[in-house]
Amino acid sequence: MDKTAIKNYAIWARTKLIEDIKYKASLLGITEKGIADALTQSTTQEQYFDIGTREPYAIRGVQIAQRRSLAEAIKKKAQESDYLTAYNSIIEEVAYTWSFYCCALYGG
């Protein structure tokens, strides 16, 4: 069995997963630079964020709860260190959790 190919794939998959999680977080207004406030046209049912496109990005329902949860986790972790370290740590935790789920589904 070619373990090098498996190792290379695992490294690529982890890097890709982390980048995808960072992208999704950025759509929720959470980046390496900080946690953005929702735009003024936001309501309790729908929140809008300026992500650098012509139209603001809108989130609803579960996405609002996910954003709140992610932002709270980063803020809590940032009390122990700086924001960037906390952000990267939480992103790593999310990636680890999802990779574990994927391995469990594939292996079990």
Side-chain angles (χ1 to χ4, degrees):
M1 177 167 31
D2 186 6
K3 292 182 182 180
T4 303
I6 294 171
K7 180 182 175 183
N8 290 341
Y9 174 76
I11 292 168
W12 172 84
R14 179 180 174 276
T15 303
K16 174 77 169 120
L17 183 58
I18 288 170
E19 291 305 314
D20 288 349
I21 291 167
K22 286 181 177 182
Y23 173 72
K24 179 63 177 177
S26 74
L27 294 178
L28 302 175
I30 300 172
T31 67
E32 293 178 339
K33 296 178 183 176
I35 301 170
D37 293 327
L39 297 176
T40 55
Q41 67 261 38
S42 298
T43 65
T44 56
Q45 304 295 323
E46 191 169 51
Q47 293 181 351
Y48 296 92
F49 297 93
D50 181 6
I51 60 167
T53 57
R54 188 170 18 168
E55 297 293 322
Y57 186 78
I59 62 172
R60 298 166 194 82
V62 174
Q63 289 179 318
I64 292 173
Q66 289 172 337
R67 180 188 192 280
R68 187 177 306 117
S69 176
L70 182 60
E72 287 173 4
I74 293 171
K75 286 177 185 177
K76 183 177 178 182
K77 192 79 156 181
Q79 292 173 351
E80 303 167 10
S81 62
D82 63 295
Y83 175 82
L84 184 59
T85 302
Y87 171 83
N88 287 324
S89 177
I90 295 298
I91 295 295
E92 288 279 338
E93 285 181 34
V94 172
Y96 175 81
T97 301
W98 277 103
S99 64
F100 178 77
Y101 289 155
C102 292
C103 289
L105 286 174
Y106 179 74

